[in-house]
Amino acid sequence: MIDSDVFDFVERCRKHTATGPLLGDLLETVRNLGFEHLILSGVPLGGQKLAPMVELNGWPAGWFERYVEAEHAAVDGVCIYSAKTLKPFLWSEVPAKWSDTEGSRRVAGEATEFGICSGFAVPMLSVHHWQSVLSFASSAKACTLSPRHQVQLVDDGGLRGHVDPGLGQ
């Protein structure tokens, strides 16, 4: 991804009037960084259900349903850590106290069945939820992003301040 890709995406965001085209555009933009999937959602807290909190769902077919049905958000280290920080992070950087649990390892293992092996999360405050996260997923065994690419995802590709994900709802 080059800087002009990011600026072009931000400009296009202003023209989107529905979430479907926005999701497709964002997925196409981040594909250059090795991400095939993404989700933008509120972070469930205190027993909240994930499904009603999802703003953009670009997870592989079947994975979202399994994740919701099994209530993986309650044990997924990435989801738990997203509720505790506003600092963007590679999934591999989730502290062991949340990532090295039986439940979190189970979620990560099941995700690989759907081609999700690594990723990058951008936690953020939200007008719709207490805390939200934009999580990018890759089939690559390890996600490596340069600091420059991380900034591009956080400041622009991460949608911060550029669109209301509640479009069309």
Side-chain angles (χ1 to χ4, degrees):
M1 180 185 299
I2 57 174
D3 291 341
S4 64
D5 294 333
V6 173
F7 291 118
D8 290 346
F9 171 74
V10 171
E11 185 61 34
R12 289 189 309 273
C13 279
R14 295 183 177 116
K15 297 174 184 171
H16 288 301
T17 58
T19 57
L22 173 64
L23 174 61
D25 193 354
L26 181 55
L27 280 168
E28 187 62 35
T29 301
V30 299
R31 223 170 240 117
N32 293 331
L33 294 175
F35 296 112
E36 298 100 0
H37 309 287
L38 65 85
I39 192 165
L40 173 62
S41 174
V43 179
L45 301 170
Q48 290 178 305
K49 299 295 183 190
L50 175 69
M53 302 178 86
V54 174
E55 303 284 346
L56 293 174
N57 183 357
W59 275 163
W63 175 236
F64 179 74
E65 291 79 10
R66 181 187 292 187
Y67 191 95
V68 168
E69 184 177 308
E71 297 186 358
H72 281 332
V75 297
D76 179 4
V78 172
C79 186
I80 293 168
Y81 190 51
S82 293
K84 301 185 180 305
T85 185
L86 285 174
K87 179 181 177 265
F89 60 92
L90 295 170
W91 293 357
S92 61
E93 297 171 338
V94 173
K97 96 187 250 186
W98 297 296
S99 65
D100 199 22
T101 65
E102 181 182 335
S104 188
R105 288 191 307 271
R106 184 178 63 251
V107 172
E110 288 181 25
T112 63
E113 297 172 30
F114 295 87
I116 295 176
C117 300
S118 62
F120 182 69
V122 183
M124 60 189 91
L125 298 176
S126 168
V127 296
H128 301 287
H129 313 287
W130 175 254
Q131 181 104 345
S132 290
V133 65
L134 177 54
S135 195
F136 300 94
S138 174
S139 60
K141 187 168 177 94
C143 178
T144 55
L145 286 174
S146 70
R148 180 183 188 93
H149 287 148
Q150 289 184 26
V151 167
Q152 287 175 322
L153 284 172
V154 171
D155 290 341
D156 297 312
L159 303 178
R160 287 190 180 191
H162 299 295
V163 330
D164 173 4
L167 289 171
Q169 295 183 3

